[in-house]
Amino acid sequence: VPGEQLPLSIGRSPLRRLPARLRVMQPTAVDAPFDDPEYWFEPWWPGVRGLAFVENGELRLRAEGLNDALAALPELGDLAEQLTTDGVVLDGTLLVLDDDGRPDADLLRRRLAEGRGPGRAAFVASDLLYAGGVALGRRAYRVRRARLLEVLPAGEQVIVGRGHVAEGLLMADALRELGVAEQSARQMSARYRGGPAGAAWLRMPTALPGLAPVVTRRPSLALIMRLPLD
Amino acid sequence: MARSMWRGAIQFGLVTIPVKLYLATESGGIGFNMLHASCLNRIQMKIYCPYHDEVVPRSETVRGYEYAKGRYVVVTEEDVDSIALKTMRAIEIEMFVDARKEANGAQFVKQAYYLEPDEIGRKAFYLLKSVLADEGKSAICKIVLKDREQLAALNPYASTMLLTTLHWPDEVRALEELDLPEADVTFKPGERAMAEQLVASMTGDFSADAYKDDYRQALMAVIERKVAGEQPEPALRAEPTNIGDLMAALEASVAAARESRAQNAEAPAVLEVDVAAEAPRRRRKTA
């Protein structure tokens, strides 16, 4: 007599639990911008390093030294709904924009210190550490960035940062005009590693050696919008 | 000419330095008068006695101290004058303390006064100022101002000295009322390093001229417009600008930089040589 067959159903495997904390990669300081086809160049926006953890649709936002930055930056509360998958950890920069849309470090400091204040919060994601609950740190930055663009469609306040491959000197020129003093360079083939990044991630001034440094000012949208587009 | 609000002398051992006191600050707030809404005339505050149900002139009032609930003792001018205070017309220096020490309670300040020495005391005045400045000391003293003996600190300031009245210790609230578990909090070295980095990046020379009372200026502008017969404009709220605009600005800037480079590339050959000579190194160098 055949044994009674029990219905067997295999549901979706539950997402692996995201780590409560992550040791973030720290960039290596270099003294000047450069061109290199192996690197992805993007602005170093005047903000605070932020990690966004999204698990079971819930967002946890960590800023440098602040476990729950969401209370101070409530505009970012919809970030989880913007993602195309769950179990995500984004690495990026938290900003507060003034009424002209310029990143304002003073407004950001005030928000983080007092929990409220003027301006509009924004998050520029530049790396993807987990997606679908799966760690991506061992994948090359090229792969992580491509996946990041799939996982995070552009929103009003949360966006994947823009940049350019190879053309670090061009990016530095553009950023100097914007009033941004530093830029970042990520090695396209590099893994994500907690702690010092070595050559995997570099941070450099946009000013060239021997030339006057960028006068620190907030990037002026009004000025840049007058410049010709391609 | 500034009007002094007190005249006396710094008493320093056997040395007496005649000085005048001037208020060092003034209220920057905008004062309002209370008006009757229907006729816009100024409201008058009358002193009213509920026992006699009548308005009382100020000349018929006396000062009373409530020593028990509803029970008062009258304190007259004669009573006040009978108090033999050593510091009645003197700034009596009690001791000198390290001006940078925070634990001396000198941070609970009330009011600052400039000192102006009389001609006869100038030399001694500037000698004392010079010694305080060189030694990094602050003089703790007592002075009677407005019928009250006040604790004060005397410090060198610009071309004079600043007398800052302080709260008495029993006027300073105890910290025990607050929840301050400082001893229970520990910092990781990384957290400390980050905080130190942030402090270092924001460290500068304080200049009060760099700060202004924005609210007062805005309020004054509203008042001036109303005086001129204009209705105050509602506060303008800029349209929220999103992060996408910033990225568009970046793209525009990159496009402009690319165009600029292309134009430079089309320039005469002699210029290309010069540019090449000045070109930045492409080798990376760790800072």
Side-chain angles (χ1 to χ4, degrees):
Chain A
V1 180
E4 193 179 346
Q5 294 293 308
L6 295 174
L8 178 67
S9 67
I10 302 174
R12 293 175 61 193
S13 60
L15 292 173
R16 288 183 210 167
R17 191 171 165 74
L18 295 180
R21 286 175 166 271
L22 275 171
R23 190 168 178 236
V24 294
M25 186 156 68
Q26 300 294 351
T28 305
V30 295
D31 67 349
F34 58 91
D35 281 342
D36 192 323
E38 278 300 306
Y39 277 86
W40 168 263
F41 296 91
E42 61 187 349
W44 193 279
W45 296 113
V48 164
R49 182 84 175 274
L51 286 181
F53 296 74
V54 177
E55 192 168 31
N56 301 321
E58 288 189 10
L59 168 66
R60 200 154 42 88
L61 198 59
R62 270 193 59 204
E64 282 175 6
L66 195 65
N67 274 332
D68 181 17
L70 193 56
L73 309 168
E75 304 98 312
L76 304 180
D78 295 338
L79 192 156
E81 294 163 23
Q82 199 177 319
L83 298 173
T84 59
T85 185
D86 198 57
V88 169
V89 180
L90 304 172
D91 189 351
T93 307
L94 292 163
L95 303 170
V96 170
L97 308 180
D98 66 10
D99 286 343
D100 296 325
R102 298 176 299 184
D104 188 320
D106 291 335
L107 291 182
L108 175 63
R109 270 194 290 272
R110 191 170 152 191
R111 282 283 198 102
L112 294 177
E114 300 173 14
R116 60 198 166 87
R120 200 152 183 211
F123 182 64
V124 181
S126 37
D127 207 342
L128 180 67
L129 312 190
Y130 279 78
V134 177
L136 301 175
R138 296 173 71 86
R139 312 293 294 274
Y141 180 67
R142 179 185 292 106
V143 177
R144 298 201 307 274
R145 181 168 174 83
R147 187 85 175 97
L148 174 61
L149 289 165
E150 292 169 6
V151 165
L152 181 62
E156 283 204 350
Q157 298 308 123
V158 180
I159 201 166
V160 177
R162 309 251 180 100
H164 284 266
V165 180
E167 297 176 299
L169 293 170
L170 174 76
M171 178 61 81
D173 285 351
L175 291 175
R176 278 200 305 278
E177 284 300 316
L178 271 172
V180 177
E182 290 182 287
Q183 71 179 10
S184 147
R186 290 178 190 263
Q187 202 172 27
M188 301 290 282
S189 59
R191 295 174 176 183
Y192 189 97
R193 58 175 91 163
W201 187 21
L202 308 172
R203 177 180 181 171
M204 68 211 70
T206 53
L208 301 174
L211 297 180
V214 175
V215 176
T216 305
R217 64 180 196 272
R218 284 178 291 158
S220 165
L221 273 187
L223 173 72
I224 295 311
M225 285 309 192
R226 288 202 296 272
L227 293 173
L229 283 161
D230 269 340
Chain B
M1 189 177 169
R3 204 173 145 193
S4 68
M5 50 84 58
W6 186 94
R7 193 183 183 106
I10 299 173
Q11 296 289 349
F12 171 35
L14 297 176
V15 180
T16 298
I17 309 170
V19 291
K20 293 200 255 318
L21 242 57
Y22 297 84
L23 278 172
T25 59
E26 56 189 10
S27 170
I30 296 172
F32 292 104
N33 292 303
M34 197 181 289
L35 309 179
H36 188 194
S38 63
C39 66
L40 300 186
N41 280 297
R42 272 182 76 167
I43 300 282
Q44 291 182 6
M45 303 289 186
K46 300 283 188 187
I47 304 169
Y48 171 75
C49 173
Y51 180 80
H52 288 99
D53 188 20
E54 64 181 25
V55 173
V56 181
R58 191 166 290 276
S59 60
E60 289 182 18
T61 62
V62 293
R63 286 187 285 193
Y65 176 79
E66 189 176 35
Y67 63 92
K69 184 71 178 167
R71 298 185 69 84
Y72 300 89
V73 61
V74 171
V75 180
T76 65
E77 287 297 325
E78 291 75 29
D79 294 330
V80 173
D81 291 343
S82 69
I83 303 168
L85 278 172
K86 197 178 172 188
T87 52
M88 211 63 170
R89 281 277 163 219
I91 298 170
E92 187 83 24
I93 293 178
E94 303 279 324
M95 67 183 301
F96 295 96
V97 297
D98 190 335
R100 290 189 181 180
K101 267 202 174 153
E102 290 187 358
N104 57 28
Q107 56 271 66
F108 301 108
V109 301
K110 287 182 183 171
Q111 172 70 51
Y113 301 89
Y114 293 138
L115 266 65
E116 184 187 67
D118 282 1
E119 197 172 346
I120 192 170
R122 278 180 190 164
K123 190 167 181 180
F125 180 85
Y126 285 113
L127 179 62
L128 177 60
K129 173 181 181 270
S130 167
V131 171
L132 287 180
D134 291 348
E135 300 291 321
K137 301 287 186 196
S138 180
I140 300 298
C141 44
K142 286 181 180 176
I143 179 173
V144 173
L145 287 170
K146 298 172 192 167
D147 293 345
R148 289 196 63 187
E149 189 172 45
Q150 310 252 12
L151 188 64
L154 190 62
N155 288 293
Y157 177 77
S159 56
T160 181
M161 284 198 279
L162 199 65
L163 182 89
T164 313
T165 50
L166 309 173
H167 284 279
W168 293 100
D170 61 355
E171 294 171 339
V172 177
R173 288 185 177 166
L175 280 175
E176 283 68 28
E177 297 170 17
L178 309 181
D179 182 21
L180 300 168
E182 186 181 18
D184 302 341
V185 179
T186 55
F187 314 110
K188 291 176 186 161
E191 291 170 333
R192 175 130 199 129
M194 190 187 69
E196 285 173 355
Q197 194 179 354
L198 180 62
V199 168
S201 70
M202 295 177 69
T203 298
D205 293 326
F206 172 69
S207 169
D209 294 341
Y211 298 87
K212 63 180 191 296
D213 185 347
D214 293 331
Y215 176 76
R216 182 175 181 270
Q217 289 185 356
L219 183 56
M220 208 57 225
V222 169
I223 291 169
E224 284 166 1
R225 277 203 297 277
K226 289 198 90 168
V227 170
E230 297 172 21
Q231 285 298 313
E233 293 169 14
L236 289 175
R237 277 193 67 82
E239 285 296 311
T241 313
N242 66 38
I243 189 71
D245 292 339
L246 189 65
M247 295 301 156
L250 171 64
E251 289 301 317
S253 190
V254 169
R258 196 185 298 282
E259 188 173 317
S260 168
R261 283 172 165 253
Q263 283 171 2
N264 286 343
E266 289 163 10
V270 63
L271 188 60
E272 279 183 19
V273 172
D274 290 341
V275 169
E278 294 297 321
R281 288 165 299 163
R282 298 198 170 200
R283 248 185 79 215
R284 292 185 297 281
K285 184 178 161 192
T286 302

